[in-house]
Amino acid sequence: MEDFNSWRDLLNPEFYIKMGGFWLILFIVFAETGLFVGFFLPGDSLLFVSGIYAVEIIKETFGSTGSDFLDTTILASCVALAAIVGNEIGYYFGVKAGPALYKKQDTMLFKKKYLYQAHDFFEKHGALAIIMARFLPVVRTFTPIVAGIVKMDKKEFLRDNIIGAVLWSFILIFAGHYLDKLFQEQFGINLKEKLEVIIIIIVLVTTLPVIIKFVFGKKEDHSKYENKDLD
């Protein structure tokens, strides 16, 4: 088991893979939307790096199938399922208790501005936001709550939730697995030895749209949400 050495480990997806393997990966994916506390944990980079270790992860958990493709498919399918369940819980939380969040004070784990950003994102992109949000850190944590608050149709939400979760998990996990193989076979480069660079690139690519929106986006009047009856 991997030992915890510093707070930097919390941002390193390889740490979680070595510390808890398959089950911890699923828990983190679920927690990001199901428990609303995982937005500060690695999401996209965790899936990509999990793809690199896919065969080892499945072998240690269930025993290898003998096929890289099947092992990677099993991992991606289970991650997609965890993501779907997490989003569904987020949606029903939004239906039942979401409006009260607009009056909740900020805490270390909850920032109301993230809820506003998710609301603006949902208002702009509609149902497509459920799929798109999967690829945006922070936004994906709060978008299902907003969908519940605005009473999005349950069947439509489930459909978009499944599409988004499957695309997110399969694209990132398969990209990690097969890019690692490609770089080793064609260039003799082991991506496991370049994880810090890979993580930085993924974080920049996935967070850049959020940063641009935050820095250059037009300031929104969020008081309209606080005063609006969302029940």
Side-chain angles (χ1 to χ4, degrees), residues 25-27 29-31 33-34 77-87 134:
I25 293 169
L26 296 192
F27 177 76
V29 170
F30 165 78
T33 51
S77 299
C78 292
V79 167
L81 181 60
I84 291 167
V85 173
N87 254 21
R134 269 293 168 201

Side-chain angles (χ1 to χ4, degrees), residues 166-209:
V166 170
L167 288 175
W168 182 58
S169 61
F170 274 75
I171 288 174
L172 289 174
I173 290 176
F174 270 81
H177 181 73
Y178 284 104
L179 281 177
D180 180 47
K181 293 189 67 174
L182 175 66
F183 272 74
Q184 287 196 53
E185 294 172 359
Q186 299 296 323
F187 309 108
I189 298 175
N190 186 349
L191 292 187
K192 292 176 183 175
E193 298 174 355
K194 310 290 184 181
L195 288 182
E196 287 191 5
V197 175
I198 293 171
I199 292 167
I200 291 173
I201 292 173
I202 293 175
V203 169
L204 288 176
V205 169
T206 56
T207 59
L208 193 58

Side-chain angles (χ1 to χ4, degrees), residues 30-213:
F30 165 78
E32 193 172 24
T33 51
L35 301 180
F36 328 121
V37 296
F39 59 85
F40 58 88
L41 297 172
D44 303 301
S45 57
L46 176 63
L47 266 60
F48 187 89
V49 177
S50 294
I52 296 176
Y53 284 96
V55 174
E56 292 96 318
I57 291 170
I58 296 302
K59 182 178 180 180
E60 291 177 2
T61 308
F62 306 109
S64 177
T65 64
S67 165
D68 281 16
F69 177 79
L70 285 179
D71 287 344
T72 307
T73 299
I74 290 171
L75 179 61
S77 299
C78 292
V79 167
L81 181 60
I84 291 167
V85 173
N87 254 21
E88 287 297 317
I89 290 178
Y91 172 83
Y92 284 106
F93 182 82
V95 171
K96 299 296 183 182
L101 291 178
Y102 286 105
K103 300 177 182 179
K104 179 180 173 63
Q105 296 299 312
D106 283 353
T107 65
M108 185 176 70
L109 296 178
F110 175 81
K111 302 296 182 183
K112 195 156 51 177
K113 67 179 181 180
Y114 298 146
L115 191 62
Y116 292 142
Q117 290 170 0
H119 197 297
D120 293 340
F121 186 77
F122 188 87
E123 287 283 302
K124 181 177 181 180
H125 299 288
L128 187 60
I130 305 301
I131 299 173
M132 295 171 59
R134 269 293 168 201
F135 296 87
L136 295 174
V138 179
V139 173
R140 64 170 161 258
T141 300
F142 295 95
T143 296
I145 302 175
V146 171
I149 292 173
V150 301
K151 303 295 193 300
M152 180 179 179
D153 182 79
K154 295 178 183 178
K155 292 181 180 179
E156 290 183 4
F157 177 82
L158 178 60
R159 178 199 64 203
D160 297 334
N161 181 18
I162 292 173
I163 294 172
V166 170
L167 288 175
W168 182 58
S169 61
F170 274 75
I171 288 174
L172 289 174
I173 290 176
F174 270 81
H177 181 73
Y178 284 104
L179 281 177
D180 180 47
K181 293 189 67 174
L182 175 66
F183 272 74
Q184 287 196 53
E185 294 172 359
Q186 299 296 323
F187 309 108
I189 298 175
N190 186 349
L191 292 187
K192 292 176 183 175
E193 298 174 355
K194 310 290 184 181
L195 288 182
E196 287 191 5
V197 175
I198 293 171
I199 292 167
I200 291 173
I201 292 173
I202 293 175
V203 169
L204 288 176
V205 169
T206 56
T207 59
L208 193 58
V210 179
I211 294 173
I212 291 175
K213 171 67 176 176

